[in-house]
């Protein structure tokens, strides 16, 4: 059997986003527990920018490691999606860091960077366009 790729449906992409929230929440619990332990068992003050940056670093590490070394996260794997380059260049750490940064910024203005998926014929978000990547669905022919 030969591997063939196709553009995933919007529903499949949405379900991968939803599924992805579970490992991200688990990572936040782990990171939060470590943060509390480092803080001598005391809760970290709410609104602490340093703690928020610490949590964001954990989330970034998860996505960057998964994308760079496998082209997919747990949510993407569950829905048989993975990232492929559109220009033939490898998925490097720097390229995936750019993709993560643009994806993160894409949530800020009411998710507009991700809503672009609804209009792009290949269902790419702004982060895919900037990083020259595309999320594809794998199926067996």
């Amino acid at each position: 059997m030969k591997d063939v790729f196709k553009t995933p449906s919007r529903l499949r992409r949405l379900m991968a986003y939803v599924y992805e929230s579970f490992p991200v929440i688990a990572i936040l619990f782990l990171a939060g527990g470590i943060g509390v332990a480092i803080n001598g068992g005391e809760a970290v003050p709410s609104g602490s920018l340093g703690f928020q940056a610490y949590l964001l670093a954990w989330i970034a590490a998860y996505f960057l490691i998964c994308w760079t070394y496998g082209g997919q996260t747990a949510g993407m794997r569950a829905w048989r999606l993975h990232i492929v380059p559109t220009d033939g260049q490898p998925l490097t750490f720097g390229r995936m860091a750019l993709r993560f940064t643009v994806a993160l910024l894409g949530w800020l203005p009411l998710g507009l960077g991700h809503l672009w998926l609804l209009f792009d014929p290949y269902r790419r978000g702004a982060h895919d366009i900037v990083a020259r990547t595309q999320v594809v669905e794998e199926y067996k022919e």
Side-chain angles (χ1 to χ4, degrees):
M1 267 188 214
K2 178 178 145 186
D3 289 339
V4 179
F5 301 104
K6 69 177 186 176
T7 302
S9 70
R10 289 173 184 88
L11 179 61
R12 184 173 286 272
R13 291 284 302 260
L14 175 64
M15 295 311 295
Y17 274 135
V18 170
Y19 191 98
E20 202 64 65
S21 67
F22 296 111
V24 168
I25 289 169
I27 288 167
L28 291 174
F29 270 104
L30 173 66
I34 292 170
V36 168
I38 290 171
N39 200 35
E42 297 293 323
V44 177
S46 68
S48 167
L49 290 179
F51 188 65
Q52 291 174 8
Y54 163 79
L55 294 176
L56 181 60
W58 275 80
I59 294 169
Y62 166 70
F63 282 100
L64 293 176
I65 290 168
C66 290
W67 288 343
T68 303
Y69 298 107
Q72 60 189 172
T73 58
M76 295 171 78
R77 183 175 301 271
W79 289 93
R80 294 188 341 258
L81 303 177
H82 59 274
I83 300 169
V84 296
T86 58
D87 62 0
Q89 298 299 312
L91 300 178
T92 63
F93 187 84
R95 185 177 192 170
M96 295 302 95
L98 174 64
R99 186 177 194 273
F100 178 81
T101 302
V102 175
L104 184 64
L105 294 173
W107 286 111
L108 295 178
L110 303 173
L112 293 179
H114 297 274
L115 288 178
W116 187 251
L117 292 163
L118 299 174
F119 307 105
D120 185 81
Y122 299 104
R123 296 188 187 100
R124 297 171 299 167
H127 52 287
D128 286 314
I129 294 167
V130 170
R132 297 177 321 279
T133 60
Q134 182 177 349
V135 175
V136 297
E137 177 183 349
E138 184 177 338
Y139 68 98
K140 302 290 185 183
E141 190 176 75

